[in-house]
Amino acid sequence: MRSTNRIWLDLGVSVFLLGLLIFGGMLIYELNFDAMEVDIDDALAQRGQEISTEKGCIACHTVDGSPGVGPSWMGMFGRVETLDDDSSQIVDELYFRESIRYPDRKMVKGYPKVMSSYWLEEDDFQALLAFAKRLSQ
């Protein structure tokens, strides 16, 4: 038979984990809402905005320049990033594509290696690219 202390410990851990799950869900919802709030007047970029929400990009990459798990997409294109091997990289279409397909190859310094690899249809990639570029204007 379980001791009373063990039951309370299990209950406390369960409540903590449930709270963490709820908080994380609310944070992801808020980040997705931020992405949807960006005013986009281009149909291709709007589709990219939808893809960034559907694929979860916005869970880690902010669209307003605020810190996130990954680099913000605000002002990303043309920016020079320092990579974890102390080399420099200009964010352009080639780097953007490579970072989506092979995120561990060229990591921006100071960010954790947590991104999954994504293989997008070319139309979807072009839409996501248009959205990211729109955030850099």
Side-chain angles (χ1 to χ4, degrees):
M1 185 171 214
R2 292 178 138 184
S3 71
T4 305
N5 289 341
R6 178 60 193 221
I7 292 171
W8 282 109
L9 177 64
D10 289 349
L11 183 61
V13 168
S14 298
V15 168
F16 172 75
L17 291 174
L18 181 61
L20 197 58
L21 181 64
I22 291 170
F23 175 75
M26 290 172 36
L27 180 62
I28 289 171
Y29 174 80
E30 183 65 30
L31 290 170
N32 285 336
F33 187 74
D34 288 348
M36 292 181 283
E37 285 290 301
V38 176
D39 189 24
I40 303 290
D41 59 359
D42 174 79
L44 185 61
Q46 284 176 347
R47 176 67 187 129
Q49 185 178 33
E50 293 167 8
I51 292 168
S52 73
T53 300
E54 291 168 5
K55 299 290 184 186
C57 307
I58 299 307
C60 296
H61 300 281
T62 66
V63 296
D64 63 0
S66 62
V69 175
S72 179
W73 284 10
M74 174 65 78
M76 173 176 57
F77 272 84
R79 184 167 61 206
V80 176
E81 295 284 13
T82 301
L83 304 179
D84 59 3
D85 65 358
D86 289 323
S87 65
S88 295
Q89 173 69 52
I90 295 175
V91 179
D92 58 11
E93 183 175 336
L94 186 63
Y95 175 72
F96 187 69
R97 182 184 299 271
E98 183 179 21
S99 294
I100 291 171
R101 288 189 177 166
Y102 309 104
D104 289 344
R105 282 190 181 169
K106 296 179 181 176
M107 294 292 303
V108 175
K109 191 172 195 161
Y111 292 97
K113 293 183 179 189
V114 295
M115 185 169 159
S116 298
S117 178
Y118 292 92
W119 289 87
L120 301 172
E121 296 293 326
E122 187 60 26
D123 291 348
D124 287 348
F125 173 78
Q126 290 300 324
L128 193 61
L129 178 66
F131 175 57
K133 282 183 174 181
R134 181 65 61 158
L135 294 170
S136 294
Q137 293 179 348

